[in-house]
Amino acid sequence: MRILLIEDDPLLGKALETGLKQAGYKPEWMQDGESALLAAQVNVFDAIVLDINLPKLSGLEVLKQIRLSSNVPIIIMTARYSLDQKVEGLDLGADDYLVKPFELPELLARLRAIVRRSQNRTNPIISCMDVELDTVARTIKKSNEWIKLSAREYQIVALLMQRVGKIVSKSELEEQIYSWDGSVESNTIEVGIYNIRKKLGHELITTIRGVGYVVNP
């Protein structure tokens, strides 16, 4: 899941970037409003975490411009006493807010919540055939038995099951799973799919040759 992280403080930004990666997300970290707005306009993100006080272009202006063309879920980060900014941000279309300082688990919980709402899904459980994915606990069951997947395998399954019935290309899987500076071997996705099929059965994921992969409803 790709997250656009917009935070100008280098220490906080690095900590959030690291925490998001460790939680299985793919963060793209921007440190000023102009770069952030450009990134939001030319890329597709699953959610945005946006600081209000930014150099070059304010967070509120970034939010306003994004909302002209996108409904991507957005969490704004505000200072403890900036009530006016918080209210203005919500009025401009932010989905949620966090008051600094905050703990990483709270940010992760709020991210999961706004993404579920954006997908019109209040239940974190996704079921397909005899496979059950819990997007909050990040666990997988098959025929009601726990299945151990690697972090990479889980990410592939989660992305495909969250888009049941929709074909996801190999390149999109790679983009969603790996950080921008990460190296991806040409057969990484194929190996992941192969291992997933050994654990969850061959019928869950269908290969559409030359196009991508799909989990059928």
Side-chain angles (χ1 to χ4, degrees), residues 12 78-80 98-103 106:
L12 177 57
T78 71
R80 181 175 297 277
L98 274 171
V99 176
K100 297 179 179 179
F102 55 82
E103 298 294 330
E106 182 180 6

Side-chain angles (χ1 to χ4, degrees), residues 3-14:
I3 305 295
L4 178 57
L5 170 64
I6 310 168
E7 170 58 60
D8 66 316
D9 183 282
L11 293 178
L12 177 57
K14 184 61 178 178

Side-chain angles (χ1 to χ4, degrees), residues 53-125:
N53 298 310
L54 296 170
K56 297 186 179 181
L57 193 65
S58 74
L60 291 176
E61 184 60 29
V62 172
L63 171 61
K64 182 179 178 181
Q65 293 298 318
I66 290 174
R67 279 293 176 254
L68 292 176
S69 59
S70 174
N71 290 320
V72 60
I74 298 176
I75 296 177
I76 56 174
M77 298 183 289
T78 71
R80 181 175 297 277
Y81 299 108
S82 57
L83 176 61
D84 291 342
Q85 286 185 333
K86 179 172 65 178
V87 171
E88 186 177 359
L90 292 172
D91 286 342
L92 286 173
D95 298 274
D96 201 352
Y97 68 90
L98 274 171
V99 176
K100 297 179 179 179
F102 55 82
E103 298 294 330
L104 180 64
E106 182 180 6
L107 171 61
L108 298 178
R110 289 177 182 267
L111 274 173
R112 292 191 295 264
I114 65 170
V115 170
R116 286 200 304 270
R117 290 200 300 268
S118 73
Q119 298 171 341
N120 294 318
R121 183 188 301 122
T122 57
N123 187 350
I125 305 298

Side-chain angles (χ1 to χ4, degrees), residues 25-215:
Y25 294 100
K26 179 188 174 183
E28 178 75 0
W29 177 24
M30 297 292 172
Q31 300 185 55
D32 69 79
E34 289 183 356
S35 299
L37 180 58
L38 178 61
Q41 290 172 334
V42 300
N43 296 281
V44 177
F45 293 96
D46 295 284
I48 296 175
V49 179
L50 171 63
D51 187 25
I52 293 297
N53 298 310
L54 296 170
K56 297 186 179 181
L57 193 65
S58 74
L60 291 176
E61 184 60 29
V62 172
L63 171 61
K64 182 179 178 181
Q65 293 298 318
I66 290 174
R67 279 293 176 254
L68 292 176
S69 59
S70 174
N71 290 320
V72 60
I74 298 176
I75 296 177
I76 56 174
M77 298 183 289
T78 71
R80 181 175 297 277
Y81 299 108
S82 57
L83 176 61
D84 291 342
Q85 286 185 333
K86 179 172 65 178
V87 171
E88 186 177 359
L90 292 172
D91 286 342
L92 286 173
D95 298 274
D96 201 352
Y97 68 90
L98 274 171
V99 176
K100 297 179 179 179
F102 55 82
E103 298 294 330
L104 180 64
E106 182 180 6
L107 171 61
L108 298 178
R110 289 177 182 267
L111 274 173
R112 292 191 295 264
I114 65 170
V115 170
R116 286 200 304 270
R117 290 200 300 268
S118 73
Q119 298 171 341
N120 294 318
R121 183 188 301 122
T122 57
N123 187 350
I125 305 298
I126 305 174
S127 298
C128 187
M129 299 182 183
D130 61 345
V131 176
E132 183 179 281
L133 168 75
D134 188 325
T135 60
V136 172
R138 298 175 64 82
T139 57
I140 292 276
K141 287 183 179 180
K142 178 178 173 63
S143 299
N144 212 34
E145 293 186 4
W146 301 106
I147 302 297
K148 184 176 181 180
L149 299 180
S150 69
R152 185 170 296 174
E153 292 163 2
Y154 173 85
Q155 290 171 325
I156 293 173
V157 172
L159 179 59
L160 291 173
M161 289 188 66
Q162 287 170 347
R163 303 187 185 184
V164 170
K166 297 180 180 180
I167 299 174
V168 182
S169 68
K170 174 184 173 182
S171 62
E172 184 174 0
L173 284 169
E174 292 172 341
E175 288 176 3
Q176 293 281 348
I177 292 171
Y178 300 99
S179 58
W180 288 108
D181 58 352
S183 59
V184 182
E185 297 180 8
S186 61
N187 67 339
T188 298
I189 299 300
E190 288 88 347
V191 170
I193 295 290
Y194 174 79
N195 290 332
I196 291 166
R197 284 173 171 157
K198 287 201 300 182
K199 297 175 181 180
L200 299 179
H202 289 265
E203 65 280 359
L204 178 66
I205 300 173
T206 299
T207 300
I208 310 299
R209 293 195 178 277
V211 181
Y213 303 91
V214 62
V215 169

